[in-house]
Amino acid sequence: MKNAINLSNTVLPLVARLLLASLFLISGIGKLSAPAATIGYITAMGLPFPTLGYVIALIVELGGGLLLVFGFQTRLTALALALFSIVTGLVFHSAVGDQNQMIHLLKNISIAGGLLQVVAFGAGAFSLDARKPVTGAARIA
């Protein structure tokens, strides 16, 4: 029983963070390698300031993904990524009559759910957060 408790406090939170971060990192790298296509897609959705939206998406996906991997400011990062996932899902996958779009929307909502688990339970033992005391504004609870 003790090994199961250790595993759930050490390795599983790390694996969960890596799996969640992989989506954001891969998506951010894709945007970085095809800026015109991404900006065009944002424009096609009718959003204002598509270039600014592109930059924000890069910062959130690459920055948030890396912060999640390293487990730094993890609760705040996970909350920001959860909100980003819900907002982008609603904006870019709102055609719920299309089964593919519905699946993408549900994917975003499910990712937000996983991220909210990270908000609730933290980064785990294998994280930068575990190496420093959490105080004041850095703590969400």
Side-chain angles (χ1 to χ4, degrees):
M1 185 66 165
K2 184 174 172 129
N3 286 339
I5 292 171
N6 288 339
L7 184 67
S8 69
N9 292 331
T10 57
V11 176
L12 290 179
L14 172 63
V15 171
R17 288 193 339 263
L18 293 175
L19 292 173
L20 285 165
S22 68
L23 176 77
F24 294 101
L25 293 172
I26 291 168
S27 181
I29 290 167
K31 285 175 178 61
L32 192 59
S33 66
T38 304
I39 292 168
Y41 184 54
I42 294 169
T43 302
M45 297 308 295
L47 295 175
F49 312 111
T51 303
L52 178 61
Y54 168 76
V55 171
I56 291 169
L58 275 180
I59 291 168
V60 170
E61 291 179 352
L62 293 176
L66 288 172
L67 289 172
L68 205 57
V69 164
F70 291 109
F72 183 73
Q73 296 292 319
T74 311
R75 291 175 191 253
L76 185 60
T77 299
L79 181 60
L81 289 172
L83 293 172
F84 179 80
S85 296
I86 291 170
V87 169
T88 56
L90 292 171
V91 170
F92 293 100
H93 305 299
S94 60
V96 294
D98 176 346
Q99 183 180 11
N100 185 44
Q101 290 299 311
M102 176 62 102
I103 290 169
H104 284 292
L105 175 61
L106 292 173
K107 169 203 58 139
N108 280 48
I109 291 169
S110 297
I111 291 164
L115 289 161
L116 290 176
Q117 287 285 318
V118 175
V119 172
F121 297 106
F126 295 142
S127 67
L128 292 176
D129 286 349
R131 296 184 168 271
K132 62 179 181 63
V134 179
T135 59
R139 184 174 175 200
I140 298 176

